[in-house]
């Protein structure tokens, strides 16, 4: 009788260990899938050859299951918000319109009230300020964790999200991004000063032979001084 009990206990233990082993292997498999997926996304984010369609398609799919799928979706939503914000910043930084604000061609097309130019400066500056705030906020642990904290999953999965996916956010912040935004905002501010000057003195300048000409040397010098600050 005792022998049967011992055998039953051993069998039970073996079954339990087998179940645990299967669960561990399954978990490792799911974690590996997520990590490989993120590596694939990372490989797609090439500044010189950005495939926006491929990146968004990758962010839309889920390769894991169960609670890991919750983790994967949360982190991909976090990545998507980061990616969309950086893309918006990049589009503005590469917008040729910024460099054409203070050209004779723009003076001809939008002078002398410069309604469209002033609107563009205001909206672009506001967008850049918002993007900078969002960029800094997204690289905080509090913001990153907000994508998973409201999900009904075990603490193990939250820790996996935090330690394996989020990692050390402070090391990921690139001051060059913030510096570039600040520099562009400074250019917009100076451009606005020049445009305001031209609007204020709209009756005292004109375009002649593709050059701006002022009615007095004083105004011409003031204009040149503003331009020199760029």
């Amino acid at each position: 009788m005792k022998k049967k009990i011992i055998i039953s206990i051993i069998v039970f233990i073996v079954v339990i260990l087998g179940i645990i082993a299967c669960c561990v292997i399954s978990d490792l498999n799911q974690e590996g899938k997520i990590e490989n997926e993120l590596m694939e996304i990372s490989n797609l984010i090439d500044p010189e050859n950005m495939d926006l369609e491929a990146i968004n398609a990758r962010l839309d799919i889920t390769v894991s299951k169960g609670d890991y799928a919750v983790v994967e979706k949360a982190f991909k939503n976090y990545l998507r918000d980061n990616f969309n914000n950086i893309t918006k910043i990049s589009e503005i930084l590469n917008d040729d319109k910024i460099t054409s604000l203070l050209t004779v061609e723009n003076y001809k097309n939008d002078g002398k009230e410069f309604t469209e130019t002033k609107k563009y400066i205001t909206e672009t500056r506001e967008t850049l300020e918002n993007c900078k705030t969002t960029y800094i906020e997204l690289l905080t642990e509090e913001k990153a964790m907000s994508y998973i904290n409201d999900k009904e999953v075990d603490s193990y999965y939250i820790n996996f999200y935090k330690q394996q996916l989020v990692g050390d956010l402070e090391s990921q912040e690139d001051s060059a991004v913030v510096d570039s935004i600040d520099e562009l905002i400074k250019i917009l501010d100076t451009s606005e000063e020049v445009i305001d000057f031209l609007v204020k003195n709209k009756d005292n300048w004109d375009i002649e032979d593709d050059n701006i000409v002022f009615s007095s040397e004083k105004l011409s010098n003031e204009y040149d001084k503003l331009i020199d600050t760029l």
Side-chain angles (χ1 to χ4, degrees):
M1 184 67 179
K2 288 184 178 179
K3 187 177 180 181
K4 288 185 178 180
I5 294 174
I6 293 173
I7 292 174
S8 297
I9 291 173
I10 292 173
V11 171
F12 177 74
I13 292 173
V14 170
V15 171
I16 293 299
L17 289 176
I19 293 173
I20 292 172
C22 287
C23 289
V24 170
I25 292 172
S26 177
D27 282 356
L28 291 175
N29 185 40
Q30 295 298 312
E31 291 176 10
K33 282 184 177 181
I34 295 175
E35 289 168 357
N36 288 336
E37 181 71 3
L38 297 182
M39 184 62 70
E40 290 293 334
I41 293 172
S42 178
N43 291 336
L44 289 172
I45 302 176
D46 180 0
E48 296 181 2
N49 188 27
M50 192 83 74
D51 190 340
L52 303 180
E53 188 175 338
I55 293 171
N56 283 317
R58 205 86 198 198
L59 292 173
D60 285 338
I61 65 174
T62 306
V63 299
S64 56
K65 298 178 180 178
D67 288 338
Y68 280 104
V70 176
V71 173
E72 181 187 351
K73 289 176 182 177
F75 193 67
K76 282 186 173 180
N77 285 335
Y78 170 66
L79 282 181
R80 190 193 306 280
D81 287 347
N82 269 283
F83 178 69
N84 288 341
N85 191 55
I86 288 294
T87 300
K88 191 181 295 184
I89 293 171
S90 179
E91 287 174 350
I92 297 175
L93 290 175
N94 292 298
D95 188 357
D96 291 336
K97 188 170 183 177
I98 292 175
T99 59
S100 68
L101 293 175
L102 303 181
T103 62
V104 169
E105 183 178 1
N106 189 51
Y107 293 172
K108 287 179 178 179
N109 294 333
D110 198 35
K112 293 185 175 183
E113 295 296 336
F114 293 100
T115 304
E116 292 302 316
T117 301
K118 293 177 74 171
K119 179 183 177 182
Y120 173 81
I121 291 174
T122 299
E123 291 179 350
T124 304
R125 180 171 49 214
E126 183 179 343
T127 299
L128 283 171
E129 292 284 8
N130 290 337
C131 285
K132 183 174 77 169
T133 299
T134 299
Y135 173 77
I136 294 172
E137 182 184 24
L138 283 168
L139 291 182
T140 62
E141 184 176 300
E142 180 182 2
K143 183 63 176 178
M145 294 306 296
S146 70
Y147 288 77
I148 189 71
N149 283 337
D150 63 341
K151 309 301 181 186
E152 295 182 0
V153 292
D154 239 27
S155 60
Y156 173 84
Y157 300 98
I158 293 177
N159 287 333
F160 173 73
Y161 176 96
K162 180 179 180 180
Q163 295 172 11
Q164 300 300 319
L165 304 184
V166 173
D168 182 12
L169 285 173
E170 289 184 6
S171 65
Q172 297 179 37
E173 184 173 340
D174 187 355
S175 61
V177 175
V178 175
D179 291 343
S180 296
I181 293 174
D182 286 340
E183 185 62 31
L184 192 51
I185 290 174
K186 183 179 178 182
I187 290 173
L188 289 171
D189 288 342
T190 302
S191 298
E192 187 174 48
E193 286 183 44
V194 174
I195 295 301
D196 286 342
F197 172 81
L198 292 177
V199 172
K200 180 181 178 181
N201 296 283
K202 61 185 178 182
D203 295 329
N204 295 303
W205 64 268
D206 219 326
I207 302 298
E208 297 179 7
D209 297 325
D210 287 332
N211 290 302
I212 184 168
V213 178
F214 290 89
S215 61
S216 71
E217 185 176 351
K218 179 176 179 297
L219 289 176
S220 181
N221 290 337
E222 287 181 24
Y223 173 80
D224 291 339
K225 187 177 180 180
L226 287 171
I227 294 294
D228 288 341
T229 60
L230 286 169

